[in-house]
Amino acid sequence: MAPTCLFIAGVCLTRAPTSTDSLFGYADFLTGLALLALVFTQSDPVYRFRISIAPLPLGAIAFAAVGAVGGGSLVTDLWFALGWYSLPWGVSKALIQGILASFLFLTILLWLTFAFALPPRFGRTNSEKFLAAIYRGLAFGGDGALSAIAFELRRSCSTIIASCNKPGNLLPGSAKSWASKEKACAVDVLRLIADRRLCRHIVAASPGTAIGLMQEATQQRVFRAPLGQFSQNITIEALKNRESPLHYEDDLSNSGLLSRIQPFTRAMYGSFELVEGSSEAMCSALDLDYRETDDLKANEWEAYGRALTTTTADFFKSKNCDSKSYVLNRSIENIVTSTNKIYMINGLSDWQLWRDEWSKLRSAMSVIETIIRQIDENQKTPDRKYINIEKKHYQRDFVDIICEALFEIMFNVASVKHPTDTAWSIQHNTFWTKIDRSSRNSKTWKVVNARFSRLAIKEISGMRKYANFRQIKIVGLLLNVFGVHEKLENPWNSDFAFLRRYVIALTKKTYLKIVAEQPHVAEAALIGSVTFDAERKRLIKTYAQGLSFEPSREYLDLDDWDPSRGEKL
């Protein structure tokens, strides 16, 4: 029989009592480990992302705990099963197994804390981990990883923006403190999330992330945060996604209360200082990639127009028309670009075929009308009535930008020559009526019309020497909307009375010269119902017949031109 006590170096070693009872044996450990591995591998990418950005090294802690608990439980089972000698500590098998189980339990509880109870946010202790996790998700992850990043970014919006505003030297080669490292990581995070695929997921599944970032930047007044590329891609994806907040925050009939609150639109475009300040390399919330503008539909341009007018509303609350804004200037150019394809209407009589291009024109005119109304409401009407066309360099203001935009839209509209009803609907009913009749109760519109007339006169005055297609198309459109009668007095054209007299006088003086020298150019002036009677040397404007037996007509007798005399016009 084996001795009950074995003396080694004067210490009595006793055999551990054999027992089949087990509180947390090695078999239980393997079962729990298998379940944990299954849960982790099959868990949502959101929780894996949270674990990866935890400030503590959860992976190393879990590995050490699994090794210690697994090894301890195996040794404990063997020790007590074989009855090996041990020190007389009086520690039972159940107590040892309980201690091992508690270590595993605490490790699991730590994971659950960061995955569910207290998800980590971007901060000083995990800024580098946060940046690395986003990089891995964008570079190697799929749609699940992108959705997780889009969702989890919302939780860290305030700390990321606050970190961008912390003092710190970001110059290459400089010694980085904790603050500068945190700031550098925050800046890199904002540049990383400008990824086009991620922006698509944010717009579709987590618009609150974009709202949170822009709102925090506005509230914390961090207007120089590198949000330009991010906000530009968000805008493009929001325009292309018909289910995005930018589309359904339009009017009360479609979206109820959201159309009044407009959380997405106001957060993204409601602060002019943020839109202008975050702009970099011609990227901002209102800048569009030229490769994207050709594919935008009418409803998408309408949504863009609402975004632009939201920014201009804030702009005119604190700025005058003399204030400069490169972002708004480029945005007005985008509005003009939306009408570039209106020439495709030419020759189409079916309204359904040219509805989309007509809607783009109507949207562009509505945006300009809204901006001018905002100038009136904030009493920012400029004092200077006329554009200084004689000076090569002068201080241009926002109204000059509007006038130039209207002039370019007019040139685009002049490409629609026939059918007669289509040309009249586009040029008169949609374009000209908007700028003519809007000026009755608006001081700004009167200034716009005066400067617009000066621009038109400056452009077409070159016809006296040599006409080009741009000039002759503009003259043709003006003749179509004004008529050709020399003595006509129309009270609705009071703002354009001088422009009308000038156009008719110029046409009367130069048209036969253009017919003789440039017949293909002269033909471009015959727009809509304006025709040329070569035999009687006159232009004829024919109006709709209506209920009359004969349609009404106007005639403009043209001055003769004798090339042999070399008359100077």
Side-chain angles (χ1 to χ4, degrees):
M1 184 174 180
T4 58
C5 185
L6 177 65
F7 287 92
I8 297 178
V11 178
C12 178
L13 301 180
T14 61
R15 289 185 177 275
T18 58
S19 174
T20 58
D21 297 332
S22 177
L23 177 65
F24 182 74
Y26 187 68
D28 300 322
F29 166 76
L30 292 179
T31 303
L33 181 62
L35 289 175
L36 288 177
L38 179 64
V39 170
F40 179 74
T41 55
Q42 299 299 320
S43 64
D44 192 276
V46 171
Y47 306 118
R48 292 204 295 270
F49 179 83
R50 292 175 178 177
I51 294 298
S52 66
I53 64 173
L56 297 179
L58 293 182
I61 292 175
F63 182 80
V66 167
V69 172
S73 61
L74 177 62
V75 170
T76 301
D77 284 353
L78 285 174
W79 203 288
F80 282 89
L82 299 178
W84 290 348
Y85 286 101
S86 61
L87 294 173
W89 289 339
V91 180
S92 66
K93 178 182 179 180
L95 180 59
I96 296 175
Q97 290 182 337
I99 295 173
L100 294 175
S102 65
F103 278 115
L104 185 61
F105 173 75
L106 290 177
T107 303
I108 296 173
L109 186 63
L110 187 63
W111 278 59
L112 293 177
T113 299
F114 287 108
F116 296 97
L118 296 174
R121 302 182 182 185
F122 179 91
R124 180 176 64 85
T125 57
N126 70 336
S127 57
E128 293 180 342
K129 282 188 173 184
F130 198 95
L131 177 63
I134 292 181
Y135 173 78
R136 288 193 301 270
L138 293 176
F140 311 112
D143 290 340
L146 294 177
S147 297
I149 294 173
F151 181 78
E152 284 301 304
L153 274 172
R154 179 172 50 184
R155 194 182 304 277
S156 300
C157 289
S158 60
T159 53
I160 291 174
I161 297 299
S163 298
C164 289
N165 202 34
K166 287 185 176 181
N169 192 355
L170 300 182
L171 296 177
S174 59
K176 292 185 177 181
S177 62
W178 275 108
S180 63
K181 288 181 180 180
E182 182 182 354
K183 180 176 182 178
C185 290
V187 170
D188 288 342
V189 165
L190 293 182
R191 296 190 187 280
L192 268 179
I193 63 175
D195 182 85
R196 188 71 176 270
R197 297 168 302 154
L198 178 60
C199 291
R200 188 177 302 117
H201 280 270
I202 290 176
V203 169
S206 184
T209 299
I211 294 174
L213 284 171
M214 301 300 279
Q215 279 184 342
E216 289 295 336
T218 301
Q219 293 172 2
Q220 299 182 32
R221 302 188 65 80
V222 188
F223 299 128
R224 296 291 179 179
L227 289 167
Q229 186 71 63
F230 170 77
S231 58
Q232 181 189 47
N233 287 337
I234 289 291
T235 297
I236 293 174
E237 293 301 330
L239 290 175
K240 291 190 170 185
N241 186 349
R242 191 62 183 86
E243 300 300 322
S244 70
L246 188 58
H247 283 282
Y248 64 70
E249 292 178 357
D250 51 359
D251 54 59
L252 187 61
S253 61
N254 289 339
S255 304
L257 185 60
L258 276 180
S259 63
R260 291 184 178 273
I261 301 176
Q262 296 183 332
F264 182 84
T265 304
R266 293 184 183 276
M268 289 292 300
Y269 315 104
S271 172
F272 164 74
E273 290 184 287
L274 178 60
V275 173
E276 183 78 21
S278 62
S279 174
E280 53 181 359
M282 299 183 69
C283 294
S284 72
L286 291 176
D287 282 307
L288 299 178
D289 192 326
Y290 71 94
R291 293 167 293 187
E292 306 289 346
T293 55
D294 287 344
D295 298 331
L296 295 182
K297 304 298 183 182
N299 60 344
E300 296 165 351
W301 280 114
E302 290 175 5
Y304 179 77
R306 291 194 299 272
L308 171 57
T309 52
T310 301
T311 304
T312 55
D314 185 67
F315 173 78
F316 288 115
K317 288 180 181 178
S318 57
K319 307 289 184 180
N320 294 317
C321 286
D322 293 334
S323 302
K324 301 297 182 183
S325 172
Y326 296 106
V327 171
L328 294 183
N329 290 357
R330 295 194 298 267
S331 302
I332 297 297
E333 292 177 2
N334 290 334
I335 295 298
V336 175
T337 301
S338 68
T339 65
N340 283 351
K341 289 187 177 181
I342 202 167
Y343 67 89
M344 299 174 66
I345 295 177
N346 192 41
L348 300 178
S349 57
D350 187 356
W351 180 73
Q352 295 295 332
L353 297 177
W354 50 267
R355 179 179 180 180
D356 193 66
E357 296 303 324
W358 168 77
S359 298
K360 292 179 184 178
L361 173 62
R362 185 187 61 176
S363 174
M365 296 304 298
S366 177
V367 169
I368 293 176
E369 184 182 26
T370 301
I371 292 175
I372 293 178
R373 184 172 64 250
Q374 292 170 351
I375 297 175
D376 281 328
E377 291 174 352
N378 291 279
Q379 299 180 354
K380 305 294 186 179
T381 304
D383 297 329
R384 178 170 55 85
K385 187 174 183 180
Y386 296 107
I387 189 170
N388 297 323
I389 60 177
E390 293 82 6
K391 296 182 179 180
K392 293 183 178 180
H393 305 285
Y394 66 94
Q395 189 72 14
R396 296 165 70 245
D397 58 24
F398 202 82
V399 173
D400 289 331
I401 304 299
I402 294 295
C403 291
E404 293 169 3
L406 285 171
F407 192 77
E408 292 301 320
I409 292 175
M410 180 177 68
F411 175 69
N412 291 338
V413 168
S415 299
V416 183
K417 298 180 61 177
H418 58 85
T420 299
D421 292 341
T422 302
W424 182 259
S425 176
I426 295 296
Q427 296 175 359
H428 180 271
N429 297 348
T430 307
F431 174 75
W432 193 259
T433 301
K434 183 71 68 174
I435 67 175
D436 185 18
R437 299 187 179 182
S438 298
S439 63
R440 299 178 189 176
N441 300 314
S442 171
K443 294 181 180 179
T444 306
W445 265 115
K446 291 184 179 297
V447 174
V448 169
N449 290 346
R451 297 188 188 183
F452 179 83
S453 298
R454 284 291 188 94
L455 281 176
I457 291 172
K458 178 186 178 183
E459 180 68 34
I460 65 178
S461 61
M463 288 173 53
R464 293 180 177 274
K465 295 181 179 180
Y466 195 80
N468 57 42
F469 280 106
R470 181 179 176 88
Q471 297 165 347
I472 205 70
K473 283 185 177 182
I474 293 173
V475 169
L477 180 145
L478 294 176
L479 290 175
N480 190 37
V481 298
F482 284 151
V484 299
H485 199 289
E486 295 183 76
K487 303 298 182 181
L488 181 64
E489 294 293 337
N490 189 341
W492 303 124
N493 283 336
S494 57
D495 285 349
F496 298 102
F498 178 76
L499 176 61
R500 182 182 184 279
R501 291 196 299 269
Y502 183 88
V503 169
I504 291 177
L506 181 65
T507 305
K508 181 181 179 68
K509 187 73 173 177
T510 62
Y511 192 75
L512 288 181
K513 171 183 178 291
I514 299 172
V515 169
E517 296 181 347
Q518 303 168 277
H520 59 296
V521 177
E523 186 180 357
L526 305 179
I527 295 176
S529 60
V530 177
T531 56
F532 174 55
D533 186 349
E535 182 179 354
R536 298 183 180 183
K537 298 180 180 179
R538 63 182 182 181
L539 292 177
I540 305 172
K541 166 70 175 176
T542 305
Y543 290 92
Q545 182 175 352
L547 299 177
S548 303
F549 185 74
E550 288 287 339
S552 59
R553 293 182 174 86
E554 295 175 358
Y555 303 94
L556 177 62
D557 294 322
L558 304 172
D559 291 348
D560 290 331
W561 178 75
D562 185 2
S564 63
R565 294 189 301 172
E567 294 184 18
K568 184 177 181 180
L569 301 176

